[in-house]
């Protein structure tokens, strides 16, 4: 079954998405998400200018061989642009294989290891009281796990606090700048979780995202302060380019640690997993080389009792979400899946079989991934330049956003 062509569709139904569509000689098509927030056009060009010419005429059934061709064959390995492009091709090929065999992708990955996929939603507020109310709305909507982010007195727009109903960090135009103080932030988070635990009791899973803002010793202090409130996880406590820095956090706290949404390969988390410095690996399909590579990461993690917790913000397209759900349903060491519902206009561009109910999701049983791309609808929403914000310390020093 030869690949006879492909194209990249870039659209902005509420936010930007880049989607690869591959066609086979049998008339079957497959989709892969290729969205890299704030750097979308780089991946679109990588696919159109450098990858599609290599795929024409190849056998679409040889998923692993095509993955290795694009990885080893580029000579320039890894990196978010390359690995997102490889992910898009890999995802589209799994979609094609599922459609060809008349099976949902999770059946090709070994079948369901569970009934459905536990997801967590995002609650936030400017104050602790507002955040407690926001978590209450998620609980009322059936969520069993909720991430909570809160405003910090004296800081405008801290990470993760929504201005509208849903949190969306990228904004049209050039990047907005915000100021950051770890000292002020560290005063707010422990009382927030004390309030949440006393309001909702021991049964609700509570999560928090530090978003790479702390030093290892600050993160150790926060993890220790959160121990009485039993978090499901503390995410991205410190930047993880230096994987060994997690040793220090781990020595000081039993709060479970999650990391990996900005990783692109198994090598980014090799030490973190092998030394059991983390509890959850957050790599996801679109940014870590597709379903094929994510399965390798999950297998390494399984050896070390690390569970998966795939990134699932709205800047990961519906095709990625569907692929993540097939992966989540099938791997044994699944932990949790992040879920932020897409805007209604996004859902119209990407009709899909996956569904949410009572705190869990299911990818559905349509052949392949169960997502389509309505190109007529997509054409109504042309790409708009947008960037993630920047963060500076109070004295103006550039910091991790
Ligand atoms: C999360 C993430 C996102 C990222 C966003 C960047 O845990 O959901 O941290 O909010 O900031 O995906 O594009
Ligand atoms: Mg995060």
């Amino acid at each position: 079954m030869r690949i006879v062509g492909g194209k990249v569709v870039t659209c902005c139904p509420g936010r930007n998405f880049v989607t690869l569509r591959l066609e086979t000689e049998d008339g079957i098509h497959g989709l892969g998400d290729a969205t890299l927030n704030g750097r979308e056009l780089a991946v679109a060009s990588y696919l159109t200018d450098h990858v599609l010419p290599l795929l024409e005429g190849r056998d679409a059934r040889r998923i692993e061989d095509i993955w290795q061709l694009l990885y080893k064959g580029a000579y320039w390995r890894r990196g978010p642009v390359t690995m997102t492009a490889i992910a898009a091709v890999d995802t589209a090929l799994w979609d094609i294989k599922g459609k060809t065999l008349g099976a949902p992708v999770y059946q090709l990955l070994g079948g369901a290891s569970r009934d459905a996929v536990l997801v967590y939603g995002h609650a936030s507020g400017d104050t602790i009281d507002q955040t407690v109310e926001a978590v209450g709305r998620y609980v009322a909507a059936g969520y069993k796990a909720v991430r909570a982010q809160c405003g910090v007195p004296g800081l405008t727009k801290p990470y993760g606090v929504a201005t509208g109903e849903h949190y969306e960090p990228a904004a049209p135009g050039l990047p907005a700048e915000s100021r950051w103080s770890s000292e002020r932030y560290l005063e707010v988070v422990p009382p927030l979780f004390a309030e949440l635990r006393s309001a909702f009791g021991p049964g609700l899973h509570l999560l928090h995202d530090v978003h790479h803002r702390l030093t290892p010793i600050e993160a150790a202090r926060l993890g220790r302060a959160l121990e009485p409130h039993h978090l499901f996880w503390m995410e991205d406590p410190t930047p993880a380019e230096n994987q060994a820095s997690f040793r220090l956090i781990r020595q000081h706290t039993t709060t479970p640690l999650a990391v990996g949404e900005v990783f692109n390969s198994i090598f980014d988390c090799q030490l973190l997993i092998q030394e059991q410095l983390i509890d959850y690996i957050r790599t996801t399909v679109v940014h870590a080389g597709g379903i094929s590579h994510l399965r390798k990461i999950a297998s390494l993690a399984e050896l070390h009792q690390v569970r998966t917790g795939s990134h699932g913000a709205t800047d990961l397209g519906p095709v990625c979400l569907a692929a993540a759900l097939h992966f989540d349903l099938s791997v044994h060491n699944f932990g949790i899946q992040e879920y932020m519902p897409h805007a209604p206009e996004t859902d119209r561009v990407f009709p899909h079989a996956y569904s949410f109910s009572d705190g869990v999701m299911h990818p559905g049983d349509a052949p392949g991934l169960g997502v389509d791309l309505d190109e007529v609808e997509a054409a109504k929403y042309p790409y708009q330049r947008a960037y993630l914000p920047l963060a500076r310390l109070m004295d103006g020093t550039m910091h991790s956003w």
Side-chain angles (χ1 to χ4, degrees):
M1 182 195 281
R2 303 277 147 203
I3 297 170
V4 290
K7 67 171 160 181
V8 175
V9 176
T10 303
C11 61
C12 188
R15 68 161 346 281
N16 288 316
F17 294 107
V18 180
T19 311
L20 173 69
R21 181 187 160 113
L22 290 182
E23 310 282 343
T24 67
E25 61 189 343
D26 303 34
I28 290 177
H29 74 270
L31 298 178
D33 186 20
T35 310
L36 184 62
N37 203 2
R39 297 292 186 270
E40 294 86 357
L41 301 184
V43 186
S45 159
Y46 192 107
L47 283 166
T48 307
D49 298 324
H50 304 292
V51 171
L52 284 176
L54 290 173
L55 296 182
E56 190 118 5
R58 288 189 193 276
D59 185 342
R61 294 169 299 188
R62 296 181 61 173
I63 301 178
E64 180 67 19
D65 184 62
I66 290 177
W67 196 99
Q68 299 294 346
L69 165 86
L70 297 178
Y71 184 80
K72 294 187 175 12
Y75 185 65
W76 312 108
R77 295 182 184 197
R78 306 190 278 159
V81 174
T82 297
M83 295 303 281
T84 300
I86 294 177
V89 174
D90 182 80
T91 308
L93 294 178
W94 279 105
D95 193 22
I96 289 170
K97 196 178 281 290
K99 286 173 178 165
T100 311
L101 299 174
V105 166
Y106 75 84
Q107 293 292 8
L108 310 180
L109 303 177
S113 285
R114 54 197 52 79
D115 301 334
V117 170
L118 176 69
V119 298
Y120 70 91
H122 280 208
S124 69
D126 290 331
T127 62
I128 290 181
D129 286 351
Q130 280 178 18
T131 309
V132 173
E133 278 171 32
V135 171
R137 289 195 288 278
Y138 276 87
V139 172
Y143 284 80
K144 314 257 183 292
V146 186
R147 181 187 101 157
Q149 308 291 135
C150 182
V152 177
L155 300 186
T156 45
K157 293 203 169 294
Y159 167 76
V161 180
T163 31
E165 198 194 336
H166 296 300
Y167 183 66
E168 167 52 59
L174 293 172
E177 283 199 11
S178 57
R179 292 281 160 146
W180 178 252
S181 159
S182 296
E183 293 79 4
R184 293 183 194 183
Y185 164 79
L186 285 166
E187 291 303 311
V188 171
V189 182
L192 167 67
F193 282 91
E195 285 293 320
L196 288 170
R197 210 28 106 204
S198 85
F200 298 103
L204 181 66
H205 295 307
L206 292 170
L207 300 83
H208 181 69
D209 190 349
V210 180
H211 219 255
H212 329 269
R213 299 287 172 93
L214 299 178
T215 64
I217 199 69
E218 288 167 342
R221 173 180 145 200
L222 180 61
R224 193 176 271 192
L226 293 173
E227 280 171 21
H229 317 309
H230 300 142
L231 265 63
F232 188 93
W233 76 35
M234 176 169 79
E235 174 183 338
D236 288 342
T238 198
E241 288 96 329
N242 177 9
Q243 297 179 44
S245 65
F246 274 67
R247 289 183 185 137
L248 192 144
I249 308 173
R250 198 62 156 174
Q251 280 157 14
H252 288 285
T253 182
T254 57
T255 293
L257 302 175
V259 71
E261 67 184 41
V262 301
F263 296 174
N264 346 104
S265 99
I266 198 164
F267 300 106
D268 293 333
C269 44
Q270 187 178 9
L271 185 116
L272 288 167
I273 291 173
Q274 286 176 336
E275 288 193 17
Q276 242 165 293
L277 300 177
I278 55 171
D279 301 280
Y280 296 93
I281 181 67
R282 280 181 47 72
T283 41
T284 194
V285 172
V286 60
H287 298 144
I291 294 172
S292 300
H293 196 64
L294 212 60
R295 293 226 299 161
K296 293 180 186 181
I297 295 176
S299 297
L300 177 66
E302 187 179 351
L303 294 182
H304 300 280
Q305 297 190 37
V306 173
R307 293 193 283 158
T308 67
S310 289
H311 185 203
T314 34
D315 49 288
L316 282 58
V319 180
C320 175
L321 177 58
L325 292 169
H326 286 277
F327 166 82
D328 296 335
L329 196 62
S330 63
V331 289
H332 174 70
N333 55 325
F334 164 75
I336 200 165
Q337 169 68 47
E338 181 178 15
Y339 173 51
M340 293 173 74
H342 288 108
E345 56 270 44
T346 302
D347 285 339
R348 282 197 295 275
V349 171
F350 296 95
H352 51 78
Y354 59 76
S355 59
F356 169 89
S357 127
D358 208 20
V360 296
M361 293 186 77
H362 194 282
D365 281 300
L369 295 171
V371 185
D372 222 329
L373 167 63
D374 182 333
E375 291 188 47
V376 175
E377 200 59 30
K380 295 182 189 165
Y381 304 99
Y383 166 81
Q384 285 179 32
R385 185 165 68 181
Y387 282 92
L388 287 168
L390 308 174
R392 291 184 185 275
L393 300 180
M394 304 309 269
D395 70 356
T397 307
M398 194 75 202
H399 196 59
S400 302
W401 174 73

